[in-house]
């Protein structure tokens, strides 16, 4: 091997070792730069006798070309490597499923609320909405449930040490029943006008769905749950009307006539008489089992008085049902907590 072969090999080796273009340029300088080894050889020609110069010069030039070829080969290889890496990094996997916006859907309890509103709407009921932070007076006192009365524990709520601007105690409403009073009183001016003209008041026929709160938590109770209040007040609204309206509602809601409805005597401070409403299906997983779905009764005269109306003249019924329970029964869900955990695997089944 001649000294020039060795030089070419050394150059090729150090080019091959350069991991990137910057280091390759440094390696190039060591061989082809101003004081690079090839350049030095060329400069050395000057010292040679003229007869040797030509042959030696040609040899060095051939070696130089080989070094340059090795350099170009390494440059090409590094560029190809870089392009490769970039392509790999930016690669598109066209077999991946497309990214799209998922289609949303109503929460199962919202579906139930909409069904309830539609069915009662078809029976001429208005829909009202009210505050979840309620005054003690609305939650209890106005509903014939005096301060410190033990019956308050039936709707035990989260009592907070908080009063509103007018000094009234506040709580998270334990039921939607305050909406009976709020709705009736919000029409007080209309009622007064009718009475002043010697007409009966326009009937009060309303449902009030919404969130309610109690100190309860297990598979069938959640500290936050839903209720839907109903109220129908007029001059001749009787308990039989409650039975007819609510039974009809249940048959429409569950889309079946194969349903027994039972009005079981009960107690609520704000109704007299009072009844718990139970249903039993003629088929399905709950076949023949009585299931409680609502509380109800004829509105107590003291409550009618708090509506701003004369209980000697106005009478009617109220009910409070549990849309969560109705949803569980309609879809066969056995744990109430599933509704409030926001697990999409559960919720998307109702889409
Ligand atoms: N508010 C009662 C409850 O939550 C239900 C009810 C409403 C009972 C209206 C009678 C009349 O338990």
């Amino acid at each position: 091997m001649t000294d020039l072969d060795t030089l070419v090999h050394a150059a090729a080796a150090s080019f091959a070792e350069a991991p990137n273009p910057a280091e390759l340029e440094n390696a190039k300088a060591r061989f082809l730069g101003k004081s690079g080894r090839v350049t030095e050889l060329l400069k050395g020609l000057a010292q040679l006798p003229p007869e040797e110069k030509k042959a030696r010069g040609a040899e060095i030039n051939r070696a130089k070309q080989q070094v340059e070829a090795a350099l170009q080969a390494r440059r090409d290889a590094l560029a190809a490597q870089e392009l490769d890496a970039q392509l790999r990094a930016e690669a598109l996997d066209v077999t991946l499923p497309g990214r799209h916006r998922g289609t949303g859907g109503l929460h199962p309890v919202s579906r139930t609320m909409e069904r309830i509103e539609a069915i009662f709407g078809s029976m001429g009921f208005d829909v009202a909405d009210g505050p979840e932070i309620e005054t003690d007076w609305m939650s209890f006192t106005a509903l014939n449930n005096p301060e410190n009365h033990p019956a308050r524990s039936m709707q035990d709520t989260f009592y907070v040490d908080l009063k509103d601007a007018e000094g009234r105690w506040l709580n998270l409403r334990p039921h939607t029943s305050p909406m009976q009073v709020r709705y009736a009183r919000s029409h007080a001016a209309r009622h007064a006008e009718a009475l002043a003209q010697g007409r009966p008041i326009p009937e009060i026929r309303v449902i009030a769905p919404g969130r309610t709160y109690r100190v309860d938590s297990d598979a069938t109770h959640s500290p936050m749950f839903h209720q839907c209040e109903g109220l129908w007040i007029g001059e001749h609204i009787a308990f039989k009307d409650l039975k007819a309206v609510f039974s009809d509602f249940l048959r429409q809601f569950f889309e079946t006539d194969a349903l027994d409805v039972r009005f079981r005597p009960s107690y609520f401070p704000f109704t007299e008489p009072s009844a718990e409403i139970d249903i039993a299906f003629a088929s399905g997983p709950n076949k023949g089992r009585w299931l409680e779905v609502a509380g109800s009764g004829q509105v107590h005269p003291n409550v009618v008085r708090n509506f701003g109306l004369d209980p000697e003249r106005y009478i009617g019924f109220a009910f409070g049902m549990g849309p969560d329970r109705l949803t569980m029964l309609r879809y066969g869900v056995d744990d109430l907590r599933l509704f409030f955990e926001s697990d999409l695997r559960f919720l998307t089944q109702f889409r």
Side-chain angles (χ1 to χ4, degrees), residues 155 175 177 180 214 227 229 268 270-271 295-297 318-320:
Q155 287 93 19
H175 50 180
S177 298
Q180 294 182 29
R214 284 193 205 173
Q227 274 200 347
E229 198 75 7
F268 296 101
F270 31 92
T271 44
S296 67
F319 57 79

Side-chain angles (χ1 to χ4, degrees), residues 40-267:
E40 291 300 327
L41 282 179
L42 287 169
K43 285 183 202 160
L45 283 176
Q47 272 93 59
L48 289 182
E51 62 280 11
E52 282 178 35
K53 248 185 208 170
K54 197 174 173 200
R56 181 65 177 166
E59 275 171 17
I60 297 175
N61 267 329
R62 212 174 311 115
K64 185 182 177 191
Q65 279 162 12
Q66 285 171 341
V67 172
E68 283 171 346
L71 174 68
Q72 192 53 46
R74 183 60 183 155
R75 275 187 183 145
D76 291 348
L78 282 178
Q81 236 175 54
E82 196 182 344
L83 182 63
D84 233 40
Q86 192 181 348
L87 286 178
R88 229 175 300 117
E90 293 171 5
L92 283 184
D93 181 350
V94 294
T95 66
L96 283 175
R99 249 179 258 166
H100 57 92
R101 207 172 272 234
T103 35
L106 277 186
H107 190 280
V109 174
S110 301
R111 278 179 188 278
T112 295
M113 292 295 204
E114 288 201 342
R115 281 179 71 73
I116 292 172
E117 288 175 22
I119 296 168
F120 279 101
S122 77
M123 293 193 252
F125 280 74
D126 194 7
V127 179
D129 203 10
E132 290 168 36
I133 298 175
E134 191 49 285
T135 62
D136 181 83
W137 191 79
M138 284 285 183
S139 285
F140 297 108
T141 318
L143 294 168
N144 196 37
N145 204 342
E147 267 174 52
N148 302 316
H149 196 283
R152 286 195 171 202
S153 62
M154 284 176 74
Q155 287 93 19
D156 204 7
T157 182
F158 295 97
Y159 288 94
V160 283
D161 200 3
L162 203 66
K163 290 182 179 178
D164 69 4
E166 281 136 70
R168 296 172 303 190
W169 287 107
L170 294 173
N171 55 43
L172 294 177
R173 66 177 180 186
H175 50 180
T176 44
S177 298
M179 282 307 294
Q180 294 182 29
V181 186
R182 282 189 177 274
Y183 186 83
R185 287 165 82 96
S186 74
H187 290 88
R190 240 173 94 204
H191 296 163
E193 190 188 304
L195 293 172
Q197 293 169 358
R199 292 185 287 114
I201 65 156
E203 284 190 349
I204 297 173
R205 208 183 303 171
V206 66
I207 58 166
R211 278 185 283 269
T212 46
Y213 303 84
R214 284 193 205 173
V215 190
D216 263 340
S217 189
D218 58 46
T220 54
H221 296 88
S222 147
M224 188 287 297
F225 60 106
H226 295 90
Q227 274 200 347
C228 182
E229 198 75 7
L231 178 70
W232 190 340
I233 297 287
E235 293 195 76
H236 308 288
I237 309 302
F239 198 90
K240 70 172 168 42
D241 298 310
L242 164 65
K243 293 183 80 169
V245 164
F246 209 84
S247 302
D248 195 29
F249 159 72
L250 288 169
R251 298 203 165 99
Q252 284 193 55
F253 183 84
F254 288 109
E255 298 170 278
T256 176
D257 286 335
L259 188 74
D260 281 326
V261 183
R262 174 172 82 175
F263 289 76
R264 175 167 43 89
S266 184
Y267 169 78

Side-chain angles (χ1 to χ4, degrees), residues 24-39:
L24 182 60
E25 292 314 304
N26 289 340
K28 171 197 163 189
R30 286 200 296 280
F31 292 92
L32 300 170
K34 264 199 202 124
S35 45
R37 289 170 62 184
V38 178
T39 319

Side-chain angles (χ1 to χ4, degrees), residues 296-308:
S296 67
Q298 287 289 90
V299 179
H300 193 286
N302 287 346
V303 179
V304 175
R305 204 169 287 115
N306 287 329
F307 291 169

